[in-house]
């Protein structure tokens, strides 16, 4: 009998970008839906964190919208795209309920080997010029095909930071 090592378990992620230099991944287990939200349907809420764009109606419920560009210190999407009539929103499951992650573009599904994920460095150490060290990242993954670096979001820690 021969011992054959089983292939590493891969995890599925949805890729997205917040600008031309910053990309991220969200675990597919947290993915609910991807949709477009018109600018007029977003209601700003005063007194909230800068990263909170506001709320909108989603299936008859109030959905909080988080500007992922602001959370990744890549600039607020609403500041960069003042003329856009709508935003791309990734609806994600969280312990607090569904939340909308506003991104510039929604990419494709990626299979990632956990062994290829670099842990998030301690605060103060930057993995790349375009991706700052943040306390709510699981780590970083470099795409072998595109040589692009993706920040892997830890949604629960991100929401706690807001």
């Amino acid at each position: 009998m021969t011992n054959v090592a089983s292939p590493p378990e891969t995890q599925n992620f949805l890729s997205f970008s917040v600008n031309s230099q910053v990309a991220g991944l969200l675990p597919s287990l947290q993915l609910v839906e991807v949709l477009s939200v018109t600018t007029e349907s977003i209601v700003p809420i005063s007194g909230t964190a800068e990263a909170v764009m506001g709320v909108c109606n989603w299936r008859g419920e109030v959905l909080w919208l988080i500007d992922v560009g602001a959370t990744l210190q890549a600039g607020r999407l609403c500041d960069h795209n003042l003329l856009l009539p709508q935003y791309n929103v990734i609806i994600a499951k969280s312990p607090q309920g569904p939340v909308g992650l506003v991104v510039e573009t929604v990419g494709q599904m990626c299979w990632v080997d956990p062994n290829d994920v670099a842990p998030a460095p301690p605060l103060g150490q930057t993995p790349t010029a375009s991706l700052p060290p943040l306390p709510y990242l699981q780590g970083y993954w470099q795409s072998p095909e595109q040589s692009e670096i993706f920040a892997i979001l830890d949604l629960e820690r991100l929401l706690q930071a807001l």
Side-chain angles (χ1 to χ4, degrees):
M1 183 191 288
T2 309
N3 277 340
V4 177
S6 63
E9 238 181 83
T10 58
Q11 297 175 340
N12 202 6
F13 291 86
L14 176 65
S15 67
F16 61 86
S17 64
V18 294
N19 64 31
S20 62
Q21 298 165 332
V22 178
L25 296 173
L26 178 74
S28 64
L29 292 175
Q30 294 176 320
L31 179 62
V32 175
E33 182 177 345
V34 175
L35 57 103
S36 293
V37 174
T38 62
T39 305
E40 299 87 36
S41 65
I42 299 173
V43 178
I45 305 294
S46 62
T48 59
E50 180 184 32
V52 178
M53 288 183 76
V55 296
C56 71
N57 181 359
W58 176 67
R59 298 182 181 181
E61 294 183 36
V62 173
L63 180 70
W64 287 89
L65 299 174
I66 309 300
D67 185 330
V68 178
T71 63
L72 292 178
Q73 298 176 2
R76 293 172 33 148
L77 290 171
C78 58
D79 292 343
H80 295 284
N81 301 319
L82 293 175
L83 303 177
L84 282 184
Q86 61 191 20
Y87 290 100
N88 296 307
V89 178
I90 301 169
I91 310 296
K93 293 182 244 181
S94 78
Q96 295 83 10
V99 64
L101 303 174
V102 182
V103 298
E104 185 175 273
T105 59
V106 176
Q108 60 189 9
M109 300 303 289
C110 301
W111 289 99
V112 175
D113 181 343
N115 296 322
D116 294 337
V117 174
L123 290 177
Q125 293 181 11
T126 305
T128 71
S130 62
L131 294 171
L134 298 167
Y136 41 84
L137 296 180
Q138 292 179 17
Y140 298 91
W141 176 69
Q142 184 166 1
S143 164
E145 305 86 32
Q146 303 167 358
S147 298
E148 187 173 6
I149 297 177
F150 293 87
I152 302 175
L153 290 182
D154 184 326
L155 185 60
E156 191 171 338
R157 285 196 282 176
L158 174 104
L159 295 175
Q160 290 171 355
L162 295 178

